[in-house]
Amino acid sequence: MNEPTPALAPDPATTRRAFLRRSLEAGAAIAATGGLAAWLWNRHPPGTLGRGAPASLMPDFSVRDAGAKMAIVTGADRVRTLRRALDAMGGIGRFIKPGDRVLLKVNAAFAAPAILSATTNPELAAELVRLCHAAGASAVLVTDNPINDPESCFALSGIGAAASAAGATVVLPRPGDFAPLTLPGGRLIRNWPVLHEPFRGVTKLIGVAPVKHHARAGASMTIKNWYGLLGGRRNQFHQDINGIIVELSQLVRPTFVVLDGTMSMLTNGPTGGSLADLKPTHTLVVSTDPVAADSFGATLLGRTSRDLPYLARAAQLGGGTTDYESLRPARDDVS
Amino acid sequence: MKISTARRLAQIFFFSVFLWLVLVASVGTGWTQWRGWPIAWFLQLDPLAAVGTALTTHSLHPGLAWALVTIVLTILFGRVFCGFACPFGAIHQFVGWLGRHVRRPKDKMAANAYRPAQSIKYYLLAAMLGAAALSVGNAFVGALQTGLLDPIPLVHRSFNLVVLPAADLAAGSRFPGGRYATGAALIGGVFLATVLLNLWMPRFYCRFVCPLGALLGLFARRSPWGIGKTGAKCIECGLCDVDCEGACNPMGPIRTSECLMCMNCLDTCPGSKPLAYLPRPSQGGEITDYGVTRRGFLAAAVGGLAVAPLARIGGARTGWSPALIRPPGSVAEEEFLARCIKCCECVRVCPTNVLQPATTEHGWGALWTPALNNRMGTSGCQLNCIACGQACPTGAIRPLTLGEKEGRGDFASAGPVRIGLAGVDRGRCLPWAMERPCIVCQENCPVTPKAIYVSEIVQTVRDGVYEVDSADGANLRLRNARLSPGQYASGDYECKLAGDDRGRAILANTGDTLTVDTASSPPGQVAPGSAAEVQIRLQRPVVDPALCIGCGVCEHECPMNGLRAIRVTADNETRDPGHAILLAPGVAGNRSLSPT
């Protein structure tokens, strides 16, 4: 049976059996090929995509019953001004509840030492971490998607070591940590990669940023700080810098923001690089309204909210108020 | 303990040390980071690196004095480095063992017989050292190409740029964004080929190719100790060949320069043990030539000698590649090529991964030498970083201090180390060529004061001249306008009315109406029919060559994704005065560079 069938004198019986077997084999091969093709069938080949994947939304992290609150405290010691400002707003316990998972968005954009104030001050970040833990937070995460090399940024700025020592988890963004996000009604943030992974399970969001000059945007403060949540080729947004900052103010609703004007960068921003670029303005702001915080911050740079077009537009769209005095900010001094 | 067991333990030990030193070679102070580990130790132990650079530079770079240890041990005890210490050799021996343990002794003996082709490595060495040797005053600097095949740089390069990044990629642990190396396929291909050839013939690379092995063979030629015959009766069974790594014919007369000191023959030799490690000469005779003919040796050396002058005629000096950006602290190009052994330690330690192994884009001689690729990596050459110069074992990149790199303290008058100069491509730059705001490059320039400043211009946009139909306070209705709502509301646009000397900021617009800012100056009467020009205020980047250090952050961040609109070239680099472009260095416009 297993011997090769002579080509010229086929045994009819054997041929029929062999033919049937071959037919079965062929049928199986055809079925397998067809099945594989059906399994791989692409219902959405390139060119017929819709308006992009369904967008995920960033939750609103604000605390409803806290209302719009703001505190402005003068003094050179960031730990003391921060504590006093939070006390003036009713204590951090009004915002951070036991069991909260807190994400702290620092500005770690550049691989520069803390003394140059191009990045969030590490002691300030660490104190925020400690206060959150003291208020009962189950975990505090610290993150940013910096401009320079991420590892170097968190190392040289001192934020990484200070935050870890205070008990926070420092999250360096990886390529897979971003997810496409669309701002409802947005024009720029459409299906754009936004830092996603560190937000998993997060219940409260705090932004903490220094006051810096910025040639394109006028100033970089707490709202511009959300730029560090963007991924992809985000530099394109410089073509409409006011537009992107306005959209960020709509996208991100933080629990509160901390604007650090202890040292303000007046020139050569946002990188700085020299102590000559800095001016001791010895003021720290905590606010539930980032527009109000930044409107006040503009005055530390010798400007007003009118000089920063994005502030009025953000306010118009419900992001807050440029008239920060209307919030009756608590004022104090610990110098 | 058998001597071959000791040899195996030594190989495991030295390979582990090697693996540790390449693993920790990343900037940081943790104990699993660079910290103070002597990451270049194996490279410093490499006599070929020492001899090669000594030939090209007529000097011995301090760390390379370690090579004397290897040389002295080899002169006394034979090629013990190959058998006991070489990490590349350990890989070959292990893979060869994996590949051959299924074969019969007869086949193994045949595979381990001496072959005349083992002399090829000596010709390679002659050619490489010949090329290195031709350093005649200022006319020629010898070409150091030993790094192409020198096993120590080769194994470092392969692990630094291919093996570990692949492991990183798989494990996803050490570098958040992964590590990349241009031309990794070639580097990895060479490594894989050399390793897999062991499956065909044990220690293929060591026997036929390794120029370091050839060099050590020269030193081992008349070593006082070595494998040899004691004079006890030898039945010439040939079993000593079964596991012979060097294919050196221990049954005698032994080829002393080929013996890798694996000591396996001492184990497989039966009976009255006529083989031993002993003071030589061997009672079975020795062959101390290398299988090299005088004619062939001369041909190889002369061929090598021709490399440097040929490169010179090829225009290496006058036709230098402006796209070749060397890391900060690099010496001038000719001396750089005379020192660089292509180990890629600098590429490995670069925290931003901007430092890449060159392929052939900067000439064949520059293959696998370090060059910046600003489109790769995370953010150009980092201002506060001097890692590459500290990692370089041969002085091709000088170990800078931060003060020297940034031009502070004692170096204030010299200014910062410039590795190149950024230039704006005004035909591609968004604000220069395409009427769109940007200045990402200016924002990211880390120098203070910024080497990129802006020149501001207000210009009328395309089709931006209208007639006013009617005016109602801040709202100007335009005739025949078909605007898209919000088109001019970004904060970058202004409306200049007839009679005004400057425009008013446009706050919003609908299909035919502009809302302008009236707070700063209330509008006068705007007559219907009068002209209204929509203008854009553009900040355009300009580079100050006296301040630019060529770090390339601007090029990395430029949103022109493919060919960047601002690019760094090697012009004005500090390392070669011949590349300077400024009349009065150290003066930035009307500013002095050294702050008082």
Side-chain angles (χ1 to χ4, degrees):
Chain A
M1 267 308 166
N2 290 330
E3 272 139 41
T5 314
L8 290 178
D11 175 338
T14 311
T15 303
R16 184 176 300 123
R17 181 175 301 180
F19 176 75
L20 281 174
R21 175 176 297 164
R22 287 189 181 198
S23 300
L24 278 176
E25 283 171 8
I30 290 167
T33 311
L36 188 67
W39 184 53
L40 293 173
W41 187 259
N42 183 359
R43 272 161 237 288
H44 306 285
T48 63
L49 281 176
R51 287 290 290 173
S56 62
L57 289 174
M58 185 175 289
D60 184 342
F61 295 103
S62 61
V63 177
R64 283 285 142 80
D65 54 9
K69 285 186 175 298
M70 185 174 181
I72 304 169
V73 179
T74 50
D77 183 341
R78 292 179 175 92
V79 171
R80 292 179 63 204
T81 49
L82 174 68
R83 284 170 169 255
R84 183 64 60 87
L86 283 168
D87 285 347
M89 293 172 70
I92 194 166
R94 287 193 71 131
F95 305 98
I96 307 296
K97 305 291 182 195
D100 267 340
R101 189 175 167 87
V102 183
L103 182 64
L104 192 59
K105 165 64 176 77
V106 294
N107 181 339
F110 303 106
I115 193 171
L116 296 176
S117 289
T119 46
T120 295
N121 183 275
E123 285 156 32
L124 181 62
E127 183 62 16
L128 269 165
V129 173
R130 279 191 289 268
L131 288 171
C132 288
H133 278 306
S138 63
V140 183
L141 294 92
V142 174
T143 198
D144 190 15
N145 180 27
I147 295 170
N148 293 166
D149 178 58
E151 220 170 339
S152 307
C153 285
F154 276 91
L156 287 180
S157 68
I159 297 172
S164 302
T169 308
V170 177
V171 185
L172 299 189
R174 293 167 183 276
D177 292 351
F178 296 83
L181 195 145
T182 299
L183 173 69
R187 195 167 43 84
L188 302 172
I189 305 179
R190 295 198 67 85
N191 209 16
W192 194 270
V194 174
L195 200 51
H196 176 74
E197 197 57 32
F199 278 92
R200 256 178 216 285
V202 162
T203 52
K204 296 289 161 60
L205 172 68
I206 302 172
V208 50
V211 177
K212 298 197 289 178
H213 160 253
H214 192 286
R216 176 75 182 107
S220 170
M221 294 179 285
T222 64
I223 308 178
K224 174 70 169 62
N225 184 33
W226 305 129
Y227 209 94
L229 296 175
L230 299 173
R233 297 214 34 98
R234 58 185 178 185
N235 283 345
Q236 292 170 6
F237 291 133
H238 270 229
Q239 290 164 52
D240 187 358
I241 195 78
N242 291 306
I244 189 65
I245 299 176
V246 169
E247 291 201 1
L248 285 169
S249 78
Q250 294 177 272
L251 180 75
V252 188
R253 304 287 186 181
T255 309
F256 63 83
V257 293
V258 178
L259 180 64
D260 178 14
T262 310
M263 297 295 278
S264 293
M265 185 183 290
L266 263 57
T267 51
N268 222 43
T271 52
S274 164
L275 295 180
D277 297 321
L278 306 178
K279 180 187 170 191
T281 44
H282 292 178
T283 309
L284 186 132
V285 181
V286 179
S287 174
T288 55
D289 175 349
V291 178
D294 287 5
S295 298
F296 172 81
T299 65
L300 297 177
L301 295 171
R303 323 182 87 182
T304 71
S305 60
R306 297 190 49 80
D307 298 320
L308 307 173
Y310 60 81
L311 288 176
R313 284 168 57 193
Q316 238 169 32
L317 292 168
T321 175
T322 57
D323 180 13
Y324 54 89
E325 291 294 357
S326 70
L327 300 183
R328 300 173 177 230
R331 284 188 155 87
D332 207 342
D333 175 77
V334 289
S335 56
Chain B
M1 184 165 62
K2 287 193 297 190
I3 182 70
S4 57
T5 307
R7 187 258 304 148
R8 256 177 228 119
L9 290 176
Q11 283 179 299
I12 291 169
F13 170 75
F14 281 110
F15 184 75
S16 305
V17 172
F18 161 75
L19 204 56
W20 180 254
L21 293 181
V22 287
L23 268 175
V24 300
S26 73
V27 177
T29 51
W31 71 278
T32 60
Q33 293 171 308
W34 188 357
R35 201 178 200 179
W37 294 106
I39 55 171
W41 184 56
F42 276 100
L43 293 154
Q44 292 172 327
L45 279 172
D46 175 4
L48 188 52
V51 170
T53 54
L55 281 173
T56 52
T57 65
H58 303 156
S59 67
L60 182 64
H61 193 64
L64 297 177
W66 273 102
L68 289 174
V69 174
T70 312
I71 292 174
V72 167
L73 286 173
T74 308
I75 289 174
L76 291 176
F77 305 113
R79 289 170 64 180
V80 284
F81 181 82
C82 303
F84 283 66
C86 179
F88 202 31
I91 296 173
H92 291 310
Q93 188 156 355
F94 180 67
V95 175
W97 173 77
L98 280 182
R100 76 185 151 160
H101 72 121
V102 293
R103 292 202 223 150
R104 293 175 300 172
K106 197 180 92 180
D107 298 330
K108 290 162 76 175
M109 283 159 64
N112 293 335
Y114 174 78
R115 287 172 174 75
Q118 283 171 239
S119 62
I120 290 174
K121 60 179 178 289
Y122 296 99
Y123 292 116
L124 282 171
L125 178 73
M128 285 176 167
L129 294 187
L134 194 68
S135 288
V136 186
N138 287 325
F140 300 117
V141 176
L144 188 67
Q145 292 296 334
T146 54
L148 291 172
L149 294 173
D150 185 343
I152 306 301
L154 194 159
V155 73
H156 278 81
R157 183 169 66 232
S158 305
F159 272 71
N160 286 337
L161 305 187
V162 179
V163 178
L164 293 184
D168 268 338
L169 213 58
S173 57
R174 188 129 188 170
F175 300 96
R179 292 288 285 192
Y180 302 95
T182 48
L186 182 62
I187 296 167
V190 168
F191 178 71
L192 260 183
T194 59
V195 170
L196 293 180
L197 276 167
N198 291 296
L199 300 179
W200 177 53
M201 184 173 295
R203 289 262 197 178
F204 178 92
Y205 192 83
C206 312
R207 291 180 189 176
F208 300 107
V209 186
C210 185
L212 172 59
L215 181 65
L216 293 175
L218 304 189
F219 291 122
R221 182 171 174 243
R222 298 184 60 77
S223 64
W225 282 275
I227 299 289
K229 280 188 166 174
T230 58
K233 181 171 168 51
C234 170
I235 57 169
E236 308 211 332
C237 62
L239 285 176
C240 44
D241 271 350
V242 169
D243 289 320
C244 176
E245 291 287 312
C248 58
N249 194 29
M251 197 166 75
I254 187 170
R255 292 184 173 265
T256 53
S257 293
E258 298 299 308
C259 176
L260 298 179
M261 295 298 159
C262 68
M263 311 283 180
N264 283 339
C265 54
L266 303 185
D267 286 349
T268 53
C269 181
S272 53
K273 295 277 181 192
L275 274 178
Y277 186 78
L278 39 65
R280 297 207 296 202
S282 163
Q283 297 303 306
E286 293 171 13
I287 299 177
T288 55
D289 72 35
Y290 314 106
V292 172
T293 64
R294 179 169 303 177
R295 186 181 294 248
F297 180 83
L298 278 173
V302 169
L305 277 172
V307 168
L310 288 179
R312 184 75 187 283
I313 294 167
R317 265 194 195 175
T318 48
W320 55 278
S321 165
L324 175 57
I325 315 293
R326 292 291 189 196
S330 296
V331 295
E333 186 61 15
E334 237 173 356
E335 193 187 346
F336 188 93
L337 290 178
R339 286 184 176 274
C340 179
I341 55 170
K342 308 176 195 284
C343 62
C344 293
E345 289 286 276
C346 51
V347 177
R348 165 78 179 164
V349 299
C350 176
T352 72
N353 203 197
V354 68
L355 204 49
Q356 292 285 327
T359 52
T360 56
E361 71 270 33
H362 306 299
W364 291 94
L367 180 66
W368 297 333
T369 62
L372 274 77
N373 181 339
N374 288 318
R375 284 179 65 205
M376 295 186 72
T378 54
S379 60
C381 176
Q382 200 162 287
L383 191 69
N384 297 303
C385 177
I386 46 170
C388 50
Q390 303 292 328
C392 182
T394 61
I397 315 171
R398 290 190 297 116
L400 300 178
T401 61
L402 271 178
E404 181 176 1
K405 190 187 178 207
E406 294 174 8
R408 288 188 275 106
D410 292 347
F411 300 94
S413 59
V417 170
R418 302 176 306 271
I419 57 175
L421 175 65
V424 178
D425 186 338
R426 292 189 178 182
R428 298 179 60 76
C429 174
L430 288 171
W432 276 107
M434 304 180 191
E435 211 174 77
R436 277 164 175 75
C438 181
I439 63 162
V440 171
C441 52
Q442 185 271 355
E443 174 187 337
N444 285 289
C445 177
V447 177
T448 182
K450 283 183 186 290
I452 303 176
Y453 58 99
V454 296
S455 135
E456 203 167 82
I457 187 179
V458 180
Q459 66 186 39
T460 303
V461 301
R462 182 181 186 183
D463 302 330
V465 182
Y466 296 94
E467 280 176 21
V468 177
D469 187 51
S470 61
D472 166 24
N475 296 324
L476 302 171
R477 194 186 162 94
L478 307 176
R479 270 181 201 157
N480 302 324
R482 273 198 296 275
L483 314 175
S484 51
Q487 176 182 4
Y488 294 133
S490 71
D492 300 307
Y493 294 91
E494 301 175 356
C495 176
K496 187 160 178 279
L497 296 168
D500 280 3
D501 52 353
R502 52 175 306 209
R504 296 157 190 279
I506 298 174
L507 302 177
N509 75 275
T510 62
D512 61 0
T513 302
L514 302 176
T515 306
V516 298
D517 181 23
T518 53
S520 43
S521 62
Q525 282 295 8
V526 183
S530 62
E533 283 181 52
V534 175
Q535 299 184 315
I536 185 167
R537 184 172 288 271
L538 287 170
Q539 297 164 302
R540 302 180 303 189
V542 182
V543 177
D544 185 339
L547 289 172
C548 179
I549 55 171
C551 70
V553 173
C554 52
E555 183 176 343
H556 182 269
E557 297 297 327
C558 177
M560 288 299 275
N561 204 352
L563 179 62
R564 302 287 153 96
I566 187 165
R567 300 186 293 277
V568 176
T569 59
D571 300 283
N572 213 29
E573 57 182 347
T574 304
R575 68 184 183 124
D576 192 335
H579 296 176
I581 61 163
L582 290 187
L583 274 179
V587 180
N590 53 6
R591 281 189 297 261
S592 165
L593 276 187
S594 40
T596 46

